[in-house]
Amino acid sequence: MLNSPKDIFTLRQTMERQDFECYHYYDPIPPVIDFHEHEFFEVFFFLSGDVSYVIEGRTYQLRPGDILLTDNRDIHKPDIHSDKPYERFVIWIQPDFLTRTKELGSDLTACFTDASAKKYKLIRPESGVLTHLKGICEKMLRSRDGSEFGSSTLSYIYLIEFLVYLNRAYFATPDAIRKDVTENEKINEVVAYINDNLSSDLTLDRLADVCFISKSHLAHQFKTYTGLTLYQFIIKKRVTVARNMIRAGSPVMDACMRCGFNDYSNFLKAFKREFGRNPKEFQPGK
């Protein structure tokens, strides 16, 4: 185990700050975590345990030191396979805050943008960079909890340093590690179609037709690879994107219609079931 402060894990998936948060979790008994999504970007830095990670239909077989990137549209969850202690760093970053780091001269959003475009989220740093990234996380956590003058400023500086080396590690990661990803080309195609056509007819019949796959095979394979039924995935994706649109300033009804909900009452029920809040509570300034 590393020497940085250990945080008590909770199922909270909302940020308390407007910039970034960093945590070090060590669970002797691994928690049960369901599929979820969040408004911010996440860096998941795996340290130990027996874990694979499902993101949008791809399952990543994790090794200690692996890093996963998720954005504010990704539906994901860890699959924990044994009672081995589960340790990880987790960094949450608000999208607006991450975008503002471009003012420093380098596009520190690049790894997230590229990973989202390629739909491939795994980083496996070489040993020297891995050690350095761990060290930065330790310093970030100590400054987070420090009371000395400038501690919060140091925490910000360490985050910037971490993001620089994270981008370097991302773009240096070899394609060979794709062997540790379980995926299905046809299901990837279906997921991509859903993401690109949320306002369209996304019935089983329609998806089977446009993706040239039988309905029964699609239904079975989709659940196998994504961990969710087709209906569950589509609803979760639609309300997630609607939330992001509302947060960015779109009118609630506009987000509802553009994400494929033709009935506001159904949208409201699905939204509140997913987030426990009314859509209007996500409007800017609320």
Side-chain angles (χ1 to χ4, degrees), residues 17 39 43 50 62-63 73 90-91 97 106 112 142 155 177 187 189 191 199 213 217 219 226 232 249-250 255-256 283:
R17 292 174 44 149
E39 293 184 73
V43 180
D50 184 8
L62 297 181
R63 302 179 187 180
R73 290 178 56 125
V90 176
I91 301 173
F97 175 77
S106 298
F112 290 97
R142 285 194 291 269
S155 185
I177 66 170
I187 298 306
E189 182 183 340
V191 170
S199 64
I213 183 173
H217 191 64
T226 68
Q232 288 171 330
S250 292
C256 166
Q283 290 176 321

Side-chain angles (χ1 to χ4, degrees), residues 246-284:
I246 295 166
R247 181 65 84 189
S250 292
V252 171
M253 186 57 72
D254 186 46
C256 166
M257 301 303 292
R258 287 173 60 187
C259 290
F261 290 96
N262 296 319
D263 182 272
Y264 181 76
S265 63
N266 289 337
F267 167 67
L268 184 61
K269 289 176 185 176
F271 196 99
K272 293 180 74 172
R273 184 168 56 245
E274 184 68 28
F275 303 118
R277 297 165 62 188
N278 189 295
K280 292 182 179 179
E281 295 180 55
F282 286 86
Q283 290 176 321

Side-chain angles (χ1 to χ4, degrees), residues 33 42-55 58-70 76-82 84-90 120-125 130 173 177-182:
I33 304 170
E42 178 178 79
V43 180
F44 174 88
F45 194 161
F46 180 62
L47 300 174
S48 69
D50 184 8
V51 180
S52 58
Y53 216 101
V54 184
I55 306 174
R58 291 175 172 86
T59 299
Y60 298 85
Q61 313 299 327
L62 297 181
R63 302 179 187 180
D66 281 354
I67 298 173
L68 293 169
L69 307 176
T70 54
H76 55 281
K77 67 166 285 190
D79 273 339
I80 299 168
H81 306 296
S82 74
K84 288 183 177 179
Y86 177 33
E87 186 176 12
R88 64 275 186 212
F89 292 123
V90 176
Y120 186 75
K121 307 289 186 169
L122 179 63
I123 304 174
R124 184 164 290 162
L130 175 60
T173 295
I177 66 170
R178 283 183 179 268
K179 68 181 184 299
D180 286 338
V181 181
T182 302

